[in-house]
């Protein structure tokens, strides 16, 4: 500054700089319990699927039917998989047929972050659909970034491992203009799915009921996934358009019952969608976000075993989705109004199938206040549903009609001391989920009179996130986070299957269930930043749940019992040590004792299970002056992963044995 003043001394003219105003949307801090995996921590897990990564979240129960190609679903806080919405780049992944999204179809290579919310997001500029679930999982893919003057980025990887796994993938990113970027990602997965297993079952008197060893059959999978995305940047906004395609054929491994494990059932899936989003600040304080999607999903299920029942059914789902969200910000207050329209159809080759379609309208009004130590958010969602049937039968004389429903939510956060990152929070949310097409219309199973399944959530928690820095280079910098939440959930009108008449081969869906869930989630993490580029981070999660079935007070065995597959205690530990390009990762997952039905009797008892996993990674930059000048010096990444280190034999779902000791090697090159 002094040099500048002396340079202008004695000069008659003045240089006047034009005023520059910098504006940006106010960042919404979290009011709602949130768990996230992103960046180096997400990549360090070296997991193959989204479901595998979610095991490190508290309050999460994974159902995995075994192997690379097995069905994988997630349930949060024991409310059921149907109550978890899955968002891919901010737009819902829908399954109107059965309401469950198979997370095994999503790869980890192109993901930037996984974020799980209980309730809903803190940012109220979002589609109305985001307000409509008890919990939401956001899968956010990588948006291209270019540094050091580069205009392209290429990453290719190859993973090979146990059970015949071969998984090549490639990512290509191109800077078309300063404001438009292209991303192309493709991957192929092949696995035989054959692994050794042992199932050891005990009688209530502790004698051996049966002991089976064998090789898992019919768990093979071949899958191709491809994505193309265009990403644009505007002076006051951004947009993106993405096309997605997934094609797979897989065997369906059967339950190991009575020493039989061979199976010939097959499934083919072909999923494709095109979606896009445009978010813009039109005038100061007013933002708009528009999203649209078209999806076409084909599924074929084949059971050629005529000793049971020959089945060859085909299904085609189509979805059209449009959303417009508006937000106005004025000082400490944000107000948002969102409106969505979704149209779903389902066609099937099954005899007498009614080929239903569903119109869903959603309107959400939300407000958020942020004043010093107080943050609050409230919303109300209106849901309007109408079904249509194209083919009538004696058992489905009319389409399901649902009266308009309005469901509220309130969230609150309080920071007692502005100088300390300590927060108290609470929320209440009432929401429901409509019966799926299978629940209502599936031949010899559906019930046209089903009512929606309601959930009510109450949550209270604390969070403390201190950061310590010192001027002493011998002492590490410390980042710490501690979160604890207690909750009480109610699920009413729970949809369950009951026998139809005296036949055990014909069932009907009924509203008979009522469940109460009491639980505690605890998350803790600490990261130590030492000198000489040494980092050490450790994360712990713990969940206690008492999820009781109060469906039928006349059932003395099941009434008040812990619901199926929900452990009382579960948790995980992950730790990572990194030095320059070398990293070592260790993870431990524990799932405590549980029962496979609500009848908590010794015959239904399931032992606890746990796994130890380790991974060693190394990053290498090939130094070459000519390549450095061109900004294309290759980066190599090597990783070796060993899972279930102690070769524990366990089931997540009864009689579906999981793999024992297994491993994987990954080689990746970027330039």
């Amino acid at each position: 500054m002094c040099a500048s003043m002396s340079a202008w001394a004695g000069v008659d003219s003045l240089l006047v700089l034009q005023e520059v105003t910098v504006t940006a949307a106010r960042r919404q801090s979290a009011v709602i319990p949130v768990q996230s995996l992103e960046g180096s921590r997400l990549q360090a897990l070296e997991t193959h699927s989204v479901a595998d990564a979610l095991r490190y979240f508290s309050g999460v129960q994974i159902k995995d039917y075994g192997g690379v190609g097995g069905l994988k679903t997630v349930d949060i806080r024991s409310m059921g998989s149907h109550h978890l919405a899955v968002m891919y780049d901010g737009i819902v992944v829908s399954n109107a047929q059965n309401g469950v999204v198979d997370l095994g179809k999503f790869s980890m290579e192109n993901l930037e972050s996984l974020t799980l919310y209980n309730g809903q997001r803190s940012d109220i500029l979002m589609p109305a659909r985001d307000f409509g679930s008890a919990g939401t999982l956001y899968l956010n893919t990588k948006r291209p970034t270019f540094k050091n003057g580069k205009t392209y980025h290429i990453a290719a990887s190859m993973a090979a491992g146990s059970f015949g796994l071969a998984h090549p993938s490639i990512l290509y990113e191109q800077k078309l203009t300063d404001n438009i970027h292209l991303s192309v990602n493709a991957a192929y997965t092949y696995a035989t799915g054959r692994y050794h297993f042992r199932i050891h079952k005990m009688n209530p008197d502790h004698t051996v009921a049966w002991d089976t060893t064998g090789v898992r059959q019919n768990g093979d999978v071949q899958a191709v996934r491809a994505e193309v995305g265009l990403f644009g940047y505007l002076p006051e906004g951004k947009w993106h358009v993405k096309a997605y395609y997934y094609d797979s054929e897989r065997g369906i491994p059967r339950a190991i019952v009575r020493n039989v494990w061979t199976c010939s059932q097959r499934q083919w899936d072909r999923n494709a969608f095109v979606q896009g989003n445009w978010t813009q600040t039109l005038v100061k304080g007013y933002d708009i976000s528009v999203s649209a999607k078209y999806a076409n999903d084909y599924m074929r299920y084949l059971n050629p075993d005529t000793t049971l029942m020959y089945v060859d059914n085909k299904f085609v789902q189509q979805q059209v989705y449009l959303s417009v969200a508006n937000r106005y910000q004025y000082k400490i207050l944000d107000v948002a109004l969102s409106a969505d329209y979704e149209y779903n159809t389902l066609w099937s080759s099954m005899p007498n199938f009614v080929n239903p379609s569903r119109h869903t309208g959603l309107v959400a009004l939300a407000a958020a206040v942020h004043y010093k130590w107080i943050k609050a958010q409230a919303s109300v969602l209106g849901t309007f549903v109408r079904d249509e049937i194209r083919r009538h039968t004696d058992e489905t004389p009319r389409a399901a009609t649902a009266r308009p429903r309005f469901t509220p939510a309130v969230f609150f956060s309080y920071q007692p001391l502005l100088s300390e990152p300590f927060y108290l929070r609470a929320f209440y949310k009432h929401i429901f989920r409509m019966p799926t097409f299978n629940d209502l219309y599936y031949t010899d199973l559906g019930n046209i009179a089903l009512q929606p399944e309601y959930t009510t959530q109450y949550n209270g928690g604390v969070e403390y996130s201190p950061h310590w820095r010192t001027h002493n280079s011998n002492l590490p910098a410390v980042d710490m986070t501690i979160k604890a939440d207690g909750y009480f959930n109610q699920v009413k009108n729970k949809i369950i299957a009951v026998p139809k008449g005296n036949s055990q081969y014909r069932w009907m869906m009924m509203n008979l269930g009522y469940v109460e869930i009491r639980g505690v989630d605890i998350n803790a993490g600490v990261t130590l930043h030492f000198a000489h580029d040494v980092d050490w981070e450790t994360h712990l999660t713990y969940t206690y749940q008492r999820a009781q079935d109060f469906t039928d007070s006349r059932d003395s065995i099941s009434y008040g019992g812990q619901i199926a597959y929900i452990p009382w205690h579960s948790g995980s530990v992950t730790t990572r040590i990194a030095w320059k390009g070398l990293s070592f990762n260790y993870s431990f997952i524990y799932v405590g004792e549980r029962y496979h039905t609500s009848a908590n009797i010794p015959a239904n008892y399931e032992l606890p299970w746990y796994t130890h996993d380790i991974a060693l990674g190394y990053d290498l930059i090939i130094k070459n002056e000519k390549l450095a000048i061109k900004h294309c010096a290759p980066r190599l990444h090597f990783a070796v992963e060993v899972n279930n280190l102690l070769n524990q034999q366990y089931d997540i779902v009864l009689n579906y044995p999981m793999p024992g000791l297994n491993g994987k090697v990954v080689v990746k090159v970027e330039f």
Side-chain angles (χ1 to χ4, degrees):
M1 184 68 180
C2 295
S4 176
M5 292 291 290
S6 62
W8 283 98
V11 179
D12 294 334
S13 60
L14 286 175
L15 176 64
V16 179
L17 298 177
Q18 289 185 339
E19 180 181 353
V20 177
T21 302
V22 179
T23 60
R26 182 170 65 246
R27 185 179 183 271
Q28 294 288 336
S29 53
V31 187
I32 296 154
V34 57
Q35 300 179 73
S36 185
L37 282 171
E38 55 189 341
S40 60
R41 187 181 171 213
L42 178 62
Q43 299 304 317
L45 295 177
E46 300 289 356
T47 50
H48 180 76
S49 74
V50 170
D52 293 336
L54 290 176
R55 298 183 303 169
Y56 300 101
F57 287 159
S58 62
V60 169
Q61 297 84 42
I62 300 293
K63 282 190 176 180
D64 190 328
Y65 292 80
V68 176
L71 176 67
K72 296 172 174 63
T73 62
V74 62
D75 174 13
I76 62 167
R77 294 186 173 181
S78 305
M79 289 178 288
S81 300
H82 297 84
H83 291 282
L84 178 71
V86 179
M87 302 288 175
Y88 195 73
D89 285 337
I91 300 178
V92 65
V93 179
S94 182
N95 188 337
Q97 181 180 351
N98 59 30
V100 177
V101 177
D102 181 6
L103 295 176
K105 296 180 180 180
F106 297 99
S107 179
M108 296 291 294
E109 284 91 352
N110 198 34
L111 282 187
E112 186 173 63
S113 65
L114 294 174
T115 307
L116 180 66
Y117 289 91
N118 291 293
Q120 60 202 36
R121 275 198 305 171
S122 297
D123 186 357
I124 60 175
L125 180 64
M126 59 184 180
R129 183 65 180 82
D130 289 32
F131 294 88
S133 300
T136 311
L137 172 65
Y138 287 86
L139 311 179
N140 298 310
T141 59
K142 296 175 182 176
R143 200 175 178 101
T145 57
F146 303 95
K147 300 179 181 179
N148 302 323
K150 287 185 62 176
T151 59
Y152 70 93
H153 172 237
I154 300 175
S157 67
M158 178 66 189
S162 303
F163 327 130
L165 174 65
H167 181 71
S169 68
I170 187 168
L171 170 68
Y172 174 73
E173 296 173 337
Q174 179 68 50
K175 189 175 185 180
L176 301 179
T177 70
D178 288 341
N179 297 318
I180 300 178
H181 302 161
L182 170 71
S183 176
V184 180
N185 178 238
Y188 171 75
T189 300
Y190 171 83
T192 63
R194 295 171 60 88
Y195 54 86
H196 293 273
F197 68 89
R198 178 184 178 185
I199 296 184
H200 185 78
K201 297 296 180 182
M202 304 293 291
N203 290 314
D205 61 0
H206 301 292
T207 60
V208 177
W210 52 287
D211 193 341
T212 295
T213 59
V215 177
R216 199 70 166 121
Q217 304 289 333
N218 204 46
D220 62 294
V221 60
Q222 291 190 69
V224 175
R225 178 185 55 83
E227 299 181 54
V228 178
L230 277 176
F231 302 84
Y233 297 89
L234 303 169
E236 297 290 339
K238 60 183 180 180
W239 59 268
H240 78 264
V241 177
K242 173 166 287 189
Y244 175 97
Y245 179 77
Y246 178 86
D247 195 334
S248 72
E249 177 187 352
R250 69 188 68 203
I252 302 176
R254 64 168 294 161
I256 308 301
V257 180
R258 292 186 293 274
N259 209 30
V260 177
W261 56 82
T262 58
C263 184
S264 54
Q265 297 176 35
R266 309 290 296 176
Q267 181 172 316
W268 291 260
D269 290 282
R270 188 169 61 244
N271 312 115
F273 65 74
V274 178
Q275 67 179 40
N277 171 264
W278 168 62
T279 301
Q280 183 76 30
T281 300
L282 295 182
V283 295
K284 184 180 179 180
Y286 174 62
D287 304 309
I288 186 171
S289 180
V290 179
S291 302
K293 179 178 181 178
Y294 169 75
N296 187 295
D297 299 328
Y298 166 85
M299 190 267 279
R300 178 191 175 195
Y301 168 75
L302 173 66
N303 180 12
D305 188 354
T306 56
T307 60
L308 297 174
M309 179 186 294
Y310 180 83
V311 177
D312 187 0
N313 291 333
K314 301 178 181 67
F315 301 89
V316 177
Q317 293 185 71
Q318 295 189 79
Q319 176 200 16
V320 175
Y321 174 78
L322 179 64
S323 171
V324 179
N326 306 268
R327 179 182 63 190
Y328 180 70
Q329 299 177 316
Y330 180 73
K331 295 184 178 179
I332 66 171
L333 177 66
D334 292 359
V335 179
L337 178 65
S338 305
D340 294 9
Y341 170 73
E342 185 173 348
Y343 177 66
N344 290 281
T345 66
L346 177 63
W347 172 89
S348 175
S349 62
M350 295 178 62
N352 299 321
F353 193 72
V354 297
N355 297 330
S357 60
R358 172 172 293 174
H359 301 266
T360 304
L362 303 108
V363 179
L365 178 64
V369 175
H370 184 184
Y371 178 72
K372 294 183 179 179
W373 54 83
I374 294 175
K375 287 173 274 189
Q377 179 178 323
S379 63
V380 61
L381 174 68
T383 305
F384 312 87
V385 179
R386 181 169 64 88
D387 286 4
E388 297 176 347
I389 292 176
R390 300 196 192 107
R391 183 187 303 165
H392 295 266
T393 69
D394 293 338
E395 295 187 1
T396 56
R398 59 183 175 83
T401 58
R403 67 179 186 274
R405 287 174 169 83
F406 298 91
T407 48
V410 180
F411 302 84
F412 180 80
S413 175
Y414 173 64
Q415 185 179 8
L417 297 174
L418 291 177
S419 59
E420 289 293 330
F422 177 73
Y423 304 90
L424 302 173
R425 62 184 177 223
F427 80 78
Y428 159 83
K429 184 170 186 177
H430 183 62
I431 202 65
F432 73 97
R433 68 104 174 170
M434 282 294 295
T436 66
F437 284 158
N438 280 1
D439 294 338
L440 292 167
Y441 309 118
Y442 199 92
T443 304
D444 289 333
L445 181 72
N447 178 2
I448 199 74
L450 281 178
Q451 295 298 308
E453 187 175 293
Y454 286 90
T455 65
T456 304
Q457 301 167 265
Y458 304 89
N459 186 100
V462 298
E463 178 177 347
Y464 183 49
S465 304
H467 307 279
W468 293 293
R469 300 291 186 270
T470 68
H471 297 291
N472 188 340
S473 60
N474 295 321
L475 297 177
V478 180
D479 297 322
M480 180 180 292
T481 299
I482 301 174
K483 304 177 185 179
D485 285 275
Y487 50 88
F488 173 61
N489 301 331
Q490 297 170 294
V491 183
K492 299 180 180 179
N493 277 351
K494 192 168 181 63
I495 299 171
I496 62 175
V498 297
K500 186 177 181 181
N502 296 322
S503 172
Q504 293 298 310
Y505 297 96
R506 301 186 70 195
W507 294 68
M508 177 176 284
M509 309 306 295
M510 301 290 289
N511 288 112
L512 292 178
Y514 173 64
V515 173
E516 291 184 355
I517 304 110
R518 296 166 177 85
V520 176
D521 288 347
I522 298 176
N523 293 267
V526 59
T527 301
L528 304 178
H529 304 280
F530 295 92
H532 309 294
D533 298 322
V534 177
D535 292 331
W536 180 19
E537 58 180 308
T538 300
H539 298 267
L540 301 92
T541 67
Y542 168 75
T543 297
Y544 169 79
Q545 285 193 74
R546 179 61 170 159
Q548 296 175 277
D549 181 359
F550 292 111
T551 296
D552 187 356
S553 60
R554 297 168 298 178
D555 187 344
S556 59
I557 297 178
S558 296
Y559 187 76
Q562 186 86 343
I563 64 177
Y565 294 112
I566 303 302
W568 280 268
H569 304 277
S570 61
S572 68
V573 178
T574 61
T575 187
R576 176 175 183 261
I577 300 175
W579 174 66
K580 298 186 184 296
L582 187 65
S583 64
F584 173 78
N585 308 278
Y586 164 78
S587 64
F588 170 76
I589 295 174
Y590 173 82
V591 174
E593 60 182 3
R594 61 214 191 282
Y595 291 87
H596 59 255
T597 74
S598 297
N600 295 174
I601 59 177
N604 298 331
Y605 177 77
E606 294 295 316
L607 290 169
W609 63 267
Y610 55 87
T611 61
H612 300 267
D613 306 324
I614 59 173
L616 183 66
Y618 181 64
D619 291 301
L620 174 66
I621 299 178
I622 299 179
K623 296 181 179 180
N624 184 293
E625 292 185 2
K626 294 182 179 180
L627 293 176
I629 293 174
K630 297 179 181 179
H631 309 297
C632 58
R635 296 174 58 93
L636 298 178
H637 172 73
F638 304 92
V640 178
E641 174 188 347
V642 180
N643 299 313
N644 199 353
L645 193 62
L646 301 185
N647 196 34
Q648 188 188 32
Q649 304 295 303
Y650 68 100
D651 298 358
I652 295 179
V653 179
L654 177 64
N655 296 327
Y656 284 86
M658 295 294 293
L661 176 69
N662 65 92
K664 183 173 66 175
V665 177
V666 179
V667 178
K668 183 177 181 180
V669 59
E670 297 183 71
F671 54 89

